[in-house]
Amino acid sequence: MGSTQIPFLDLIRPHLEMEEELVTVFRSALHTAGFIGGNAVLDFERAFAEFCEVDHCVGVGSGTDALRFALMAAGVGPGDSVLTAPNTFIATTEAISQAGALPEFIDIDEQTCNIDPDKLREYLETNCDRDAYTGRPISRRTGRVISAVVPVHLYGQPADMDRILKLADEFNLAVIEDACQAHGAAYFSQQQHTWRKAGSMGKAAAFSFYPGKNLGACGEAGAVTTNDLNLAQKIRAMRDHGQSAKYYHDMEGYNGRLDAIQAGILRTKLYRLAQWNSQRRERAETYQELLAPLDGVMLPVEPEWARGVYHLYVVRTQDRQLLQDSLKTAGIGTGIHYPIPLHLQKAYRALGYVKGDFPVTEKLASEILSLPMYPQLTRIEQENVVQAVRKCLATDRTTLFLNILQETLA
Ligand SMILES: Cc1ncc(COP(=O)(O)O)c(C=O)c1O
């Protein structure tokens, strides 16, 4: 098997380029013993709120914490149901369950890979009754009140928020954006005649700063963004054992703080985020240009109302396994995000979904392949990736299979 020459993700190059700045952050924490809270966290929160064009940012321990706290602070609790897409990372639904609610799934739009607003409307109108008092839908599937919807801006492409927000308004649902893959993505709101940043449109939004994200920490970190002061204050208490002042606990909370070293690192990297995002968009354009002439591979589609940040560059192909194996043989790393939709995961067997419930999600799960994508990816590396894709598509299946077998045994 060929050794990987073009990794799926290169986290070493960008960190080495910033080594001195990052070490300075760590050194300053050592010299002040400022490990938890303090100015480093406040500075980052202020800067990230500004970047997302929101009033408040609350740094927390991870994207999963951010989602869970945002849902709970928005009033989601035991006995509720929350709607989301089945093609997301399990953290989205873990947070829903940990808030005490049940996840219910809505299929996705084939072009955007995000929750389909038409199917969302259909579900709310035909699979739910209305609570006469709150106007909220009651799911016939679970008998529970649906209190929120979590659109996921998957792969860094915004969901169709105008239509989701309109439905949420009609059905009295809280909208919590899962922006964990979408730092800096933008959506053109026809309603407001302006571009809106991911993380600024719902009641609150969750970001992950897991190292591989567009803005990644050197460890675990996350944040909630919101324009709602009351909600921000609740989350500040929640992340810190429910404290309003030291040892004054207004409620039980969690240990879910963003630590100061990660905040300092994120602040340093945030200066570069806009440039990194443009570089990702340029690499997406290059892939688009080089891959467009090839038959047998479908490219991501960006609607005119979306400005994605290409956390992942995901193509589709009928013979995904063969393409992935061929690229591996050529020394090119790839990923699948995600191979098994959540409604078919063992963890969610009790929800009672079966194969065939979400045909678009299921079809895509068998066809998607994430190609290498990061700001430091060079034109030559992209040409090599495309060359390997072309070679795979042009070679007959038997020869390819034998080549892969030979490489594997070598
Ligand atoms: C869509 C999505 N939601 C939630 C999360 C959870 O974030 P974290 O890993 O920081 O808890 C992730 C991160 O992988 C994600 O991609």
Side-chain angles (χ1 to χ4, degrees), residues 24-74:
T24 303
V25 169
F26 183 56
R27 192 174 292 124
S28 128
L30 278 187
H31 288 188
T32 58
F35 298 121
I36 304 288
N39 282 340
V41 174
L42 288 172
D43 282 353
F44 171 68
E45 288 178 338
R46 247 180 253 126
F48 195 64
E50 195 180 317
F51 179 84
C52 294
E53 298 166 3
V54 290
D55 293 338
H56 311 283
C57 164
V58 186
V60 296
S62 66
T64 313
D65 273 357
L67 278 166
R68 184 180 54 213
F69 296 162
L71 286 162
M72 291 170 80

Side-chain angles (χ1 to χ4, degrees), residues 161-181:
M161 291 302 290
D162 273 353
R163 297 173 67 203
I164 295 166
L165 289 166
K166 185 163 180 289
L167 281 170
D169 199 37
E170 229 175 276
F171 286 86
N172 193 11
L173 306 176
V175 176
I176 305 298
E177 296 168 69
D178 183 336
C180 285
Q181 302 188 0

Side-chain angles (χ1 to χ4, degrees), residues 167-378:
L167 281 170
D169 199 37
E170 229 175 276
F171 286 86
N172 193 11
L173 306 176
V175 176
I176 305 298
E177 296 168 69
D178 183 336
C180 285
Q181 302 188 0
H183 320 68
Y187 172 80
F188 188 80
S189 168
Q190 294 285 356
Q191 285 297 107
Q192 299 174 359
H193 310 287
T194 187
W195 286 95
R196 301 287 308 269
K197 283 278 187 75
S200 72
M201 294 174 276
K203 189 165 183 61
F207 285 89
S208 164
F209 305 121
Y210 187 75
K213 296 292 197 271
N214 290 29
L215 179 63
C218 295
E220 302 281 358
V224 178
T225 54
T226 181
N227 286 314
D228 182 330
L229 173 63
N230 183 34
L231 197 124
Q233 281 169 339
K234 273 194 208 163
I235 296 171
R236 282 188 195 285
M238 236 176 232
R239 72 174 173 182
D240 194 19
H241 299 289
Q243 294 188 113
S244 50
K246 198 158 177 75
Y247 302 133
Y248 285 77
H249 304 274
D250 298 345
M251 59 181 191
E252 277 192 349
Y254 298 83
N255 179 350
R257 297 169 297 238
L258 169 64
D259 83 62
I261 293 174
Q262 297 309 333
I265 286 168
L266 289 166
R267 180 71 194 92
T268 305
K269 289 184 167 189
L270 185 56
Y271 288 111
R272 292 170 165 84
L273 180 58
Q275 188 202 339
W276 285 337
N277 281 344
S278 322
Q279 287 170 319
R280 284 176 184 271
R281 287 185 59 79
E282 282 162 23
R283 270 108 197 114
E285 271 173 34
T286 302
Y287 270 139
Q288 219 80 4
E289 166 205 325
L290 298 175
L291 289 166
L294 307 190
D295 281 337
V297 63
M298 284 173 67
L299 309 184
V301 176
E302 190 175 84
E304 74 281 2
W305 43 259
R307 213 160 49 211
V309 288
Y310 293 92
H311 171 57
L312 296 168
Y313 186 85
V314 180
V315 299
R316 288 168 55 188
T317 180
Q318 297 294 326
D319 219 337
R320 193 254 312 277
Q321 189 62 56
L322 210 55
L323 181 58
Q324 185 170 40
D325 289 347
S326 308
L327 292 182
K328 191 173 176 189
T329 307
I332 295 161
T334 57
I336 300 172
H337 302 88
Y338 299 91
I340 302 173
L342 292 179
H343 68 287
L344 300 177
Q345 293 280 358
K346 199 166 151 194
Y348 292 121
R349 204 179 273 163
L351 295 180
Y353 290 107
V354 293
K355 207 164 179 190
D357 279 346
F358 303 106
V360 181
T361 295
E362 289 169 29
K363 177 165 173 253
L364 263 58
S366 66
E367 296 178 355
I368 47 178
L369 189 67
S370 310
L371 299 182
M373 166 56 81
Y374 34 91
Q376 296 75 19
L377 191 68
T378 64

